Amino acid sequence: MGDVLPRSYARPAGMLPPNNEFGIREITPGLACSGPGGAYELVERMEYLYVRVVKARGLKWSGEFDPFAELRLGGYSCITRHVEKTASPEWDDVFAFSRERIHAPFLDVLVRGRGFAKDDYVGSTRLDLGILPDAPASVQPDSSPAPQWYPVFDKKGEFRGEVMMAVWFGTQKDSYFDSAVHADAAFPVDDKLAAHIKHIRYDVPRLCYVRVKVTEVRDIVFADKARVGEVFVRSRILGQVHRTRTSMDHRWKDEENGHLFVAAAPFKDYLNMSVVGVKNGKEEVIGHVNVLLDSFERRCDARPISPRWFSLMQPEGAAKIDKYSAKISVVLCLECGYKVLSEPVHYLSDVRPAAREQERERKCIGLVELGIREAILTATRTRDGRGSCDAYCVAKYGVKWYRTRTVTDSISPRFHQQYHWEVHDHCTVLTVAVFHNSQVGDKGGLVAGDPVKDVLLGKVRIRLSTLETGRTYAYAYPLMSLHGGGVKKMGELRLAVRFSSTSTLGLFQTYAQPHLPPMHYHRPLTVVQQEMLRREAVTIIAHRLGRMDPPLRRECVEHLCESHALRWSMRRSKAHFFRLAEALEPLSAASAWFYHVCRWTNPVTTVAVHVIFTMLVCYPSLVLPTFFLYKFMLGMRNYLRRPKHPWHVDMRVSHADTAHPDELDEEFDEFPTARPPEVVRMRYDKLRSLNARIQEIVGDIATHAERARCVMTWRDPRATGLYLLGCLCLAVITFSVPFQAVALLTGFYLMRHPILRQRLPDVVANFFRRLPCKVDCLL
């Protein structure tokens, strides 16, 4: 498929594919809009009516009121935010109406006050949409027109003031598109709802590891005036808490690496360190100190950091001690040479370290462009007796996340928004997720009471290294939702993605570079540390993005960052096992082929193998060239059958279609479990039986390994003697006989004719099975 993108599709809008279609589907190509330079865009052109309500002046009403403007266009209605007690309010709000949904020829603008009756208003004006010029045909339209004053009149036709507005037709490339409130919903859009459905870009905060290593505490005094006793140091940054071991000499020289925390720029939080004494099983805080994170030394390499001394302060409410001079020695630094992992290593979207100077070392090697076109979804709620959905998409790559506007009350939302990111390592993953906005009420507005969680409808992952440079991929990706009741197809998402390279040499050099920054190899983190720090990083990101307007909810961040990827799941275990079996299938096929060669199933093939084997043994210099030539020819043959479609979330690879309901219920159970005791007991018994089989396999492997080692330890003197005698004989034979003859005889022996074979095991296998192992030592 070329660079041409679709405008029409094989299936009518709003109609889902059959239930048995769970794979990726290529979009029927068609013409797309082009820009001034003839370059194809990734999304279709969509026209909007933009209304910018700037301010009002000279509003006349009996008494004080809180004015706001209401826009009415056919059956659509939206309002600006209200301004308290003024006759000259300033709003500067922008609203957008999809032109294909506009059926009314006029736009009515009413100035009202908060608390007015439904039919009361200060004044109104009507605009004729027929006199507006069409949207510009270029990709980048002209700037919006200057706002102008419009008079407003009351019901009796009397002048009541003026409203400054600008009204024009534009496209999604307009400069006001990102900040506009899309008001073409089936219910009124107020200012609170508008803040939760608009388009926004999220900038993920720069994260950094914080290393805290306590070395010594001096001059501490307990509450009973004693200076000797067991103490430990508790360190805290926001919700992250670590503590040292309990020490009697008040030193911790053996803790080489200390503790690691996660912090976010601009590092204005504090590290709280408390020295806690332990006496008679009770803990008492002896002293504490707060240190600003921004004052820590920054380290980008493995150089040592000198410890710093801090004076401790007495805790509040404690008895005052004269000449209190307790001190603590601690090594503090911001580890800027690491990449803070907020997602699993397999799904990384950015591999650059926290240090900005090291970020510049990884030059930009390309650009990835994403066009989120439209979706066809199943209904997630009922509104006015019909199925409905309030969907939005979130695209995540690197530190820039984009959230599309929420298309309310539609099971066929059309987004047609395009984004781009710089690529510094193409072996990364772009993630797009579709959510149902549960904050929108059934009748419009925000839901009352505590907000409910947004529902994940499906995810699409695109690994950039699998994309051809310069090619545009336009596909309809299936959206799968997995929950305790099973797997369900929630629809499909139509995307267009293109990866372009700015440096072909840099693209190939990437394969020779380490996947992670050097500090991950100079001072590697343990698996437990990585997972613990990753959870903290996800918490910080969710907290920061949840404070933006509109907020990105915590459940969305957790889904995008795969925060539950390492939970126990029988379904995932089966999927990983069959993935391993499929990956090892070529070895299994080669082993089966060699077995049939040795059994002379096809005499012609066996004779040919004998001839080739003899040639390679007689001319050993041809072994490696023949091997690499075979790999080259095999790869060129596979090029003709190379995959044409990108990967997608596959239900069969995930083993979601065959998972037992109890396995899914166990996968989505919280930790600690909330299930009844009888269910937990049943799952525990099932896990015991599974572990028993795994235990048996591990025991067999250990037995074979011990036998191979015990053959040289004289645990069985006769077996060891026979083995050493055989080694001596083989040494003499291999020294006296040419290597080619030994190799030929060995190969011919393995591939001997079935007439020369017997069903009993050979001598070597019998000898190995009789060797001793440590099974006798087990209870």
Side-chain angles (χ1 to χ4, degrees):
M1 175 180 154
D3 287 346
V4 208
L5 289 184
R7 185 174 287 276
S8 60
Y9 301 93
R11 188 173 287 106
M15 183 181 297
L16 280 174
N19 293 331
N20 58 351
E21 293 186 14
F22 291 101
I24 193 172
R25 187 167 57 85
E26 188 172 7
I27 296 175
T28 306
L31 292 178
C33 61
S34 60
Y40 287 102
E41 290 295 315
L42 301 183
V43 295
E44 293 182 4
R45 171 191 173 93
M46 293 185 67
E47 294 189 5
Y48 294 90
L49 171 66
Y50 290 97
V51 182
R52 180 187 175 196
V53 185
V54 183
K55 57 185 177 180
R57 68 183 180 186
L59 299 178
K60 300 176 182 179
W61 185 259
S62 57
E64 295 182 340
F65 68 104
D66 302 335
F68 64 88
E70 180 180 355
L71 278 64
R72 295 179 181 177
L73 181 61
Y76 302 129
S77 173
C78 57
I79 61 176
T80 66
R81 53 191 172 85
H82 67 272
V83 181
E84 296 184 356
K85 299 178 181 180
T86 179
S88 301
E90 294 186 4
W91 300 294
D92 199 14
D93 291 338
V94 182
F95 301 90
F97 300 86
S98 178
R99 189 166 186 174
E100 63 182 12
R101 293 189 179 186
I102 297 177
H103 302 290
F106 301 103
L107 170 67
D108 293 318
V109 181
L110 292 79
V111 179
R112 307 180 61 197
R114 188 169 60 170
F116 279 23
K118 182 178 181 180
D119 297 330
D120 288 345
Y121 58 88
V122 178
S124 67
T125 185
R126 170 170 286 191
L127 301 178
D128 186 0
L129 302 182
I131 64 175
L132 296 178
D134 288 336
S138 61
V139 172
Q140 183 61 42
D142 298 331
S143 59
S144 62
Q148 54 183 315
W149 290 102
Y150 293 88
V152 294
F153 303 91
D154 62 6
K155 298 179 180 178
K156 298 180 181 180
E158 297 180 0
F159 177 78
R160 290 297 182 179
E162 293 179 302
V163 177
M164 178 181 282
M165 296 187 303
V167 184
W168 73 99
F169 282 112
T171 66
Q172 69 265 44
K173 287 291 185 181
D174 198 282
S175 56
Y176 281 98
F177 180 80
D178 292 346
S179 58
V181 175
H182 293 262
D184 48 357
F187 39 76
V189 178
D190 56 14
D191 55 341
K192 293 182 179 179
L193 176 61
H196 284 77
I197 64 175
K198 67 180 182 180
H199 166 271
I200 190 175
R201 163 185 159 180
Y202 299 102
D203 289 327
V204 177
R206 185 163 61 100
L207 302 179
C208 186
Y209 290 141
V210 180
R211 190 177 296 275
V212 178
K213 176 187 173 184
V214 181
T215 58
E216 186 178 358
V217 175
R218 292 182 182 176
D219 302 330
I220 60 173
V221 181
F222 288 81
D224 57 358
K225 308 301 182 182
R227 294 180 176 270
V228 179
E230 293 183 342
V231 297
F232 65 88
V233 179
R234 182 187 295 120
S235 305
R236 180 192 302 270
I237 298 179
L238 298 179
Q240 308 171 61
V241 181
H242 289 288
R243 54 165 289 178
T244 64
R245 60 173 178 82
T246 304
S247 173
M248 193 70 182
D249 59 356
H250 307 167
R251 294 182 179 181
W252 294 269
K253 298 293 186 182
D254 54 338
E255 296 188 4
E256 297 182 359
N257 297 323
H259 301 291
L260 284 177
F261 299 83
V262 181
F267 307 115
K268 297 303 181 182
D269 298 315
Y270 285 87
L271 165 68
N272 174 267
M273 292 182 291
S274 302
V275 180
V276 182
V278 180
K279 278 197 172 183
N280 300 324
K282 296 182 178 180
E283 299 180 358
E284 59 170 305
V285 179
I286 300 174
H288 66 91
V289 62
N290 295 325
V291 187
L292 183 65
L293 297 182
D294 197 29
S295 64
F296 288 13
E297 185 175 354
R298 287 165 168 78
R299 179 170 68 174
C300 301
D301 49 23
R303 60 184 173 86
I305 301 294
S306 301
R308 299 166 58 186
W309 285 95
F310 296 93
S311 298
L312 297 176
M313 297 182 296
Q314 283 189 265
E316 296 182 2
K320 296 297 181 181
I321 300 177
D322 296 336
K323 298 181 180 180
Y324 185 81
S325 60
K327 298 183 292 294
I328 183 172
S329 174
V330 59
V331 175
L332 303 175
C333 70
L334 295 177
E335 295 284 8
C336 299
Y338 287 94
K339 162 63 183 173
V340 178
L341 304 177
S342 59
E343 50 205 349
V345 179
H346 307 296
Y347 302 141
L348 279 181
S349 60
D350 188 13
V351 295
R352 292 175 295 171
R356 297 192 182 276
E357 50 275 6
Q358 289 193 4
E359 280 186 0
R360 301 187 187 100
E361 294 180 1
R362 285 185 177 262
K363 299 180 180 180
C364 176
I365 61 173
L367 187 75
V368 58
E369 301 168 90
L370 173 70
I372 302 178
R373 300 174 64 83
E374 56 187 342
I376 300 178
L377 307 173
T378 58
T380 55
R381 71 191 318 166
T382 301
R383 183 177 280 134
D384 297 332
R386 55 182 173 79
S388 177
C389 184
D390 306 319
Y392 66 91
C393 300
V394 180
K396 177 185 76 71
Y397 186 78
V399 296
K400 290 197 305 182
W401 297 13
Y402 290 98
R403 170 177 172 167
T404 67
R405 64 185 180 93
T406 299
V407 180
T408 56
D409 196 34
S410 175
I411 59 174
S412 302
R414 302 185 69 201
F415 303 103
H416 289 285
Q417 294 178 234
Q418 183 170 336
Y419 312 104
H420 70 275
W421 295 267
E422 290 185 349
V423 178
H424 299 269
D425 190 326
H426 67 291
C427 298
T428 46
V429 177
L430 168 65
T431 305
V432 184
V434 184
F435 295 94
H436 166 71
N437 196 336
S438 301
Q439 316 312 313
V440 182
D442 292 339
K443 302 297 182 181
L446 295 180
V447 294
D450 295 334
V452 294
K453 292 184 177 182
D454 289 353
V455 180
L456 175 68
L457 302 181
K459 275 186 296 190
V460 177
R461 301 190 194 98
I462 303 173
R463 187 170 294 274
L464 303 188
S465 60
T466 62
L467 305 180
E468 297 180 14
T469 305
R471 175 186 169 186
T472 299
Y473 293 81
Y475 286 90
Y477 292 85
L479 298 176
M480 301 294 179
S481 176
L482 183 66
H483 47 82
V487 63
K488 180 180 180 182
K489 183 172 182 179
M490 303 301 296
E492 63 182 26
L493 178 65
R494 292 165 178 174
L495 302 176
V497 62
R498 177 172 58 218
F499 173 62
S500 55
S501 173
T502 57
S503 173
T504 305
L505 179 60
L507 198 66
F508 287 107
Q509 286 179 343
T510 305
Y511 289 98
Q513 297 175 355
H515 188 49
L516 295 174
M519 277 296 290
H520 286 268
Y521 306 97
H522 295 320
R523 300 176 71 102
L525 305 177
T526 64
V527 176
V528 176
Q529 275 183 316
Q530 285 186 3
E531 182 58 23
M532 179 188 67
L533 294 171
R534 191 171 75 85
R535 288 198 301 266
E536 299 296 344
V538 173
T539 301
I540 292 176
I541 293 175
H543 175 70
R544 287 290 184 92
L545 300 189
R547 297 170 59 186
M548 297 185 180
D549 187 21
L552 187 61
R553 298 185 56 80
R554 180 184 180 89
E555 60 269 15
C556 302
V557 177
E558 291 179 347
H559 284 304
L560 288 166
C561 293
E562 304 286 348
S563 62
H564 305 307
L566 294 184
R567 279 186 177 179
W568 159 253
S569 168
M570 181 66 74
R571 175 190 61 83
R572 281 180 176 267
S573 301
K574 292 179 180 178
H576 293 330
F577 174 79
F578 286 103
R579 281 177 54 214
L580 178 62
E582 184 179 1
L584 297 179
E585 186 178 357
L587 295 179
S588 176
S591 175
W593 173 83
F594 186 70
Y595 173 82
H596 289 294
V597 167
C598 295
R599 293 300 185 274
W600 289 70
T601 304
N602 189 341
V604 177
T605 302
T606 304
V607 172
V609 170
H610 277 75
V611 174
I612 296 174
F613 176 72
T614 305
M615 291 175 58
L616 294 178
V617 170
C618 295
Y619 301 97
S621 58
L622 297 178
V623 174
L624 292 180
T626 302
F627 173 76
F628 291 117
L629 181 61
Y630 167 75
K631 297 293 291 184
F632 174 77
M633 297 301 295
L634 182 62
M636 294 305 296
R637 189 195 69 173
N638 292 340
Y639 177 78
L640 301 176
R641 298 181 296 179
R642 66 189 184 278
K644 301 294 183 180
H645 309 302
W647 274 334
H648 64 282
V649 177
D650 195 325
M651 181 186 64
R652 295 178 178 85
V653 175
S654 305
H655 278 260
D657 54 339
T658 58
H660 192 273
D662 183 69
E663 295 175 357
L664 294 176
D665 183 72
E666 182 182 14
E667 180 176 349
F668 288 94
D669 190 10
E670 296 296 331
F671 187 85
T673 181
R675 298 297 181 264
E678 56 272 12
V679 176
V680 177
R681 186 180 300 110
M682 181 268 294
R683 292 174 180 171
Y684 176 68
D685 292 339
K686 183 172 64 175
L687 192 62
R688 287 178 62 190
S689 62
L690 176 64
N691 287 340
R693 292 195 293 268
I694 298 176
Q695 171 184 288
E696 190 68 22
I697 295 173
V698 174
D700 292 341
I701 296 175
T703 297
H704 287 78
E706 288 174 351
R707 285 172 176 171
R709 185 178 179 183
C710 287
V711 72
M712 294 290 293
T713 60
W714 293 91
R715 177 61 63 179
D716 184 345
R718 289 168 292 275
T720 303
L722 289 174
Y723 177 75
L724 296 180
L725 181 60
C727 290
L728 180 61
C729 295
L730 289 176
V732 174
I733 293 173
T734 53
F735 179 77
S736 305
V737 180
F739 174 76
Q740 289 86 347
V742 176
L744 283 174
L745 290 175
T746 304
F748 290 159
Y749 176 76
L750 293 176
M751 295 183 290
R752 64 192 183 274
H753 197 275
I755 298 177
L756 305 176
R757 297 179 182 273
Q758 56 180 350
R759 295 184 177 274
L760 299 178
D762 54 18
V763 177
V764 177
N766 293 332
F767 177 81
F768 184 77
R769 288 192 179 95
R770 294 178 180 275
L771 292 174
C773 60
K774 292 185 178 180
V775 174
D776 305 335
C777 303
L778 297 178
L779 289 175

